[in-house]
Amino acid sequence: MECTVRLQGFEGPLDLLLHLIRKNQLDIHDIPMTLITEQYLEYLSLMRSLNLDLASDYLVMAATLVHIKSRMLLPQPAETSQTEESQEPEDPRAELVRRLLEYQKYRDAAQGLVVRSMLGRDVFSRPEGVWEEVEKEPELFLGGEVSIFDLVEAFGRLMSSRNWDEKALDLERLTLADCIQQIADVLKARPQGIVFEELFSESTTRKQLVLSFLALLEMVRLRMIRAYQALGWGTIRILPV
């Protein structure tokens, strides 16, 4: 059964660009277009392979990046007039940088408002015994909440690390609702959370793995679960809300 998750409910193309800039520790004012364009297109290819329905904005941004990259590869004219010599050549990335900085400003402001509204809501009393396992691995909670792009990247690594028997029969016809219920049951039994890779340990076929991941994304979108990652692009842990 085909299952499609639409990305309009998640982040947009500017979020993906900011994610790539942060991941590569780049200067937003001096973006290496070849690197960013290649990684952006790789993400789009991976999302398509997961049957994620990309909004048209993603494709427009892909075309924009390729256009900027091609402009930067063009040689600069050698002969210039005296008035032109006093002016710096226009950077093809200038408009993109302006959009990213403006978007980042408003996104950070919006996230600040969300955090304010959540203060007090996420303060809980300490139940006995529940946090014993968590305290053994405190490094898992250093860092912050991850984006869909962090999850897609982690899932891509997971898929490439496994050897799949494409001839294996998928006798159990799972639906997205079934996978959501399975994840909910796992987290109910483990309220302290579960490591991202462990969540897919029962998936025996490629189809089951992809469907379970789509269920995970849908639960993130519905705010049924939250995903956190350790500092330095480390372990991702899934926790119930």
Side-chain angles (χ1 to χ4, degrees), residues 215-226:
L216 178 73
L217 292 183
E218 187 67 8
M219 294 177 76
V220 171
R221 186 182 71 84
L222 296 174
R223 298 293 180 184
M224 298 172 63
I225 59 176
R226 298 168 81 175

PDB file of all heavy atoms in Angstrom, residues 215-226:
ATOM      1  N   ALA A 215       5.348   6.775   9.642  1.00  0.00           N
ATOM      2  CA  ALA A 215       4.504   6.869  10.834  1.00  0.00           C
ATOM      3  C   ALA A 215       5.163   7.766  11.880  1.00  0.00           C
ATOM      4  O   ALA A 215       4.493   8.570  12.544  1.00  0.00           O
ATOM      5  CB  ALA A 215       4.255   5.467  11.409  1.00  0.00           C
ATOM      6  N   LEU A 216       6.483   7.628  12.012  1.00  0.00           N
ATOM      7  CA  LEU A 216       7.217   8.473  12.960  1.00  0.00           C
ATOM      8  C   LEU A 216       7.086   9.945  12.586  1.00  0.00           C
ATOM      9  O   LEU A 216       6.832  10.796  13.447  1.00  0.00           O
ATOM     10  CB  LEU A 216       8.687   8.055  12.974  1.00  0.00           C
ATOM     11  CG  LEU A 216       9.609   8.868  13.878  1.00  0.00           C
ATOM     12  CD1 LEU A 216       9.348   8.534  15.346  1.00  0.00           C
ATOM     13  CD2 LEU A 216      11.071   8.602  13.544  1.00  0.00           C
ATOM     14  N   LEU A 217       7.241  10.265  11.299  1.00  0.00           N
ATOM     15  CA  LEU A 217       7.109  11.650  10.846  1.00  0.00           C
ATOM     16  C   LEU A 217       5.703  12.187  11.107  1.00  0.00           C
ATOM     17  O   LEU A 217       5.531  13.347  11.498  1.00  0.00           O
ATOM     18  CB  LEU A 217       7.427  11.755   9.356  1.00  0.00           C
ATOM     19  CG  LEU A 217       8.879  11.504   8.927  1.00  0.00           C
ATOM     20  CD1 LEU A 217       9.025  11.732   7.433  1.00  0.00           C
ATOM     21  CD2 LEU A 217       9.847  12.379   9.697  1.00  0.00           C
ATOM     22  N   GLU A 218       4.714  11.351  10.882  1.00  0.00           N
ATOM     23  CA  GLU A 218       3.336  11.787  11.112  1.00  0.00           C
ATOM     24  C   GLU A 218       3.095  12.058  12.594  1.00  0.00           C
ATOM     25  O   GLU A 218       2.412  13.020  12.960  1.00  0.00           O
ATOM     26  CB  GLU A 218       2.361  10.717  10.612  1.00  0.00           C
ATOM     27  CG  GLU A 218       0.896  11.117  10.645  1.00  0.00           C
ATOM     28  CD  GLU A 218       0.554  12.220   9.668  1.00  0.00           C
ATOM     29  OE1 GLU A 218       1.421  12.594   8.848  1.00  0.00           O
ATOM     30  OE2 GLU A 218      -0.590  12.722   9.736  1.00  0.00           O
ATOM     31  N   MET A 219       3.678  11.252  13.465  1.00  0.00           N
ATOM     32  CA  MET A 219       3.533  11.467  14.900  1.00  0.00           C
ATOM     33  C   MET A 219       4.245  12.736  15.344  1.00  0.00           C
ATOM     34  O   MET A 219       3.778  13.450  16.235  1.00  0.00           O
ATOM     35  CB  MET A 219       4.071  10.247  15.669  1.00  0.00           C
ATOM     36  CG  MET A 219       3.265   8.978  15.436  1.00  0.00           C
ATOM     37  SD  MET A 219       3.955   7.531  16.271  1.00  0.00           S
ATOM     38  CE  MET A 219       3.452   7.857  17.973  1.00  0.00           C
ATOM     39  N   VAL A 220       5.389  13.042  14.716  1.00  0.00           N
ATOM     40  CA  VAL A 220       6.084  14.300  15.003  1.00  0.00           C
ATOM     41  C   VAL A 220       5.206  15.472  14.585  1.00  0.00           C
ATOM     42  O   VAL A 220       5.075  16.465  15.307  1.00  0.00           O
ATOM     43  CB  VAL A 220       7.440  14.341  14.279  1.00  0.00           C
ATOM     44  CG1 VAL A 220       8.056  15.733  14.384  1.00  0.00           C
ATOM     45  CG2 VAL A 220       8.394  13.307  14.866  1.00  0.00           C
ATOM     46  N   ARG A 221       4.618  15.370  13.404  1.00  0.00           N
ATOM     47  CA  ARG A 221       3.765  16.449  12.893  1.00  0.00           C
ATOM     48  C   ARG A 221       2.565  16.677  13.800  1.00  0.00           C
ATOM     49  O   ARG A 221       2.154  17.819  14.038  1.00  0.00           O
ATOM     50  CB  ARG A 221       3.290  16.126  11.483  1.00  0.00           C
ATOM     51  CG  ARG A 221       2.511  17.256  10.817  1.00  0.00           C
ATOM     52  CD  ARG A 221       2.032  16.852   9.445  1.00  0.00           C
ATOM     53  NE  ARG A 221       0.972  15.867   9.526  1.00  0.00           N
ATOM     54  CZ  ARG A 221      -0.322  16.186   9.708  1.00  0.00           C
ATOM     55  NH1 ARG A 221      -0.683  17.444   9.841  1.00  0.00           N
ATOM     56  NH2 ARG A 221      -1.230  15.236   9.751  1.00  0.00           N
ATOM     57  N   LEU A 222       1.996  15.602  14.329  1.00  0.00           N
ATOM     58  CA  LEU A 222       0.819  15.688  15.195  1.00  0.00           C
ATOM     59  C   LEU A 222       1.190  15.990  16.645  1.00  0.00           C
ATOM     60  O   LEU A 222       0.313  16.031  17.499  1.00  0.00           O
ATOM     61  CB  LEU A 222       0.023  14.381  15.128  1.00  0.00           C
ATOM     62  CG  LEU A 222      -0.581  14.038  13.758  1.00  0.00           C
ATOM     63  CD1 LEU A 222      -1.215  12.649  13.788  1.00  0.00           C
ATOM     64  CD2 LEU A 222      -1.622  15.088  13.346  1.00  0.00           C
ATOM     65  N   ARG A 223       2.484  16.166  16.922  1.00  0.00           N
ATOM     66  CA  ARG A 223       2.982  16.454  18.275  1.00  0.00           C
ATOM     67  C   ARG A 223       2.659  15.339  19.255  1.00  0.00           C
ATOM     68  O   ARG A 223       2.424  15.577  20.442  1.00  0.00           O
ATOM     69  CB  ARG A 223       2.404  17.778  18.800  1.00  0.00           C
ATOM     70  CG  ARG A 223       2.796  18.993  17.975  1.00  0.00           C
ATOM     71  CD  ARG A 223       4.271  19.253  18.086  1.00  0.00           C
ATOM     72  NE  ARG A 223       4.697  20.416  17.300  1.00  0.00           N
ATOM     73  CZ  ARG A 223       5.954  20.812  17.173  1.00  0.00           C
ATOM     74  NH1 ARG A 223       6.902  20.122  17.766  1.00  0.00           N
ATOM     75  NH2 ARG A 223       6.262  21.856  16.439  1.00  0.00           N
ATOM     76  N   MET A 224       2.665  14.101  18.753  1.00  0.00           N
ATOM     77  CA  MET A 224       2.467  12.943  19.616  1.00  0.00           C
ATOM     78  C   MET A 224       3.781  12.508  20.256  1.00  0.00           C
ATOM     79  O   MET A 224       3.787  11.887  21.323  1.00  0.00           O
ATOM     80  CB  MET A 224       1.872  11.784  18.818  1.00  0.00           C
ATOM     81  CG  MET A 224       0.507  12.063  18.212  1.00  0.00           C
ATOM     82  SD  MET A 224      -0.038  10.747  17.092  1.00  0.00           S
ATOM     83  CE  MET A 224      -0.142   9.347  18.209  1.00  0.00           C
ATOM     84  N   ILE A 225       4.888  12.822  19.581  1.00  0.00           N
ATOM     85  CA  ILE A 225       6.207  12.473  20.080  1.00  0.00           C
ATOM     86  C   ILE A 225       7.147  13.644  19.820  1.00  0.00           C
ATOM     87  O   ILE A 225       6.827  14.551  19.049  1.00  0.00           O
ATOM     88  CB  ILE A 225       6.771  11.206  19.397  1.00  0.00           C
ATOM     89  CG1 ILE A 225       6.847  11.433  17.876  1.00  0.00           C
ATOM     90  CG2 ILE A 225       5.955   9.987  19.751  1.00  0.00           C
ATOM     91  CD1 ILE A 225       7.470  10.275  17.131  1.00  0.00           C
ATOM     92  N   ARG A 226       8.323  13.585  20.465  1.00  0.00           N
ATOM     93  CA  ARG A 226       9.355  14.597  20.244  1.00  0.00           C
ATOM     94  C   ARG A 226      10.684  13.881  20.083  1.00  0.00           C
ATOM     95  O   ARG A 226      10.917  12.832  20.689  1.00  0.00           O
ATOM     96  CB  ARG A 226       9.402  15.582  21.409  1.00  0.00           C
ATOM     97  CG  ARG A 226       8.104  16.359  21.577  1.00  0.00           C
ATOM     98  CD  ARG A 226       8.040  17.106  22.880  1.00  0.00           C
ATOM     99  NE  ARG A 226       8.770  18.372  22.810  1.00  0.00           N
ATOM    100  CZ  ARG A 226       8.789  19.263  23.798  1.00  0.00           C
ATOM    101  NH1 ARG A 226       8.146  19.025  24.923  1.00  0.00           N
ATOM    102  NH2 ARG A 226       9.444  20.391  23.670  1.00  0.00           N
TER     103      ARG A 226
END
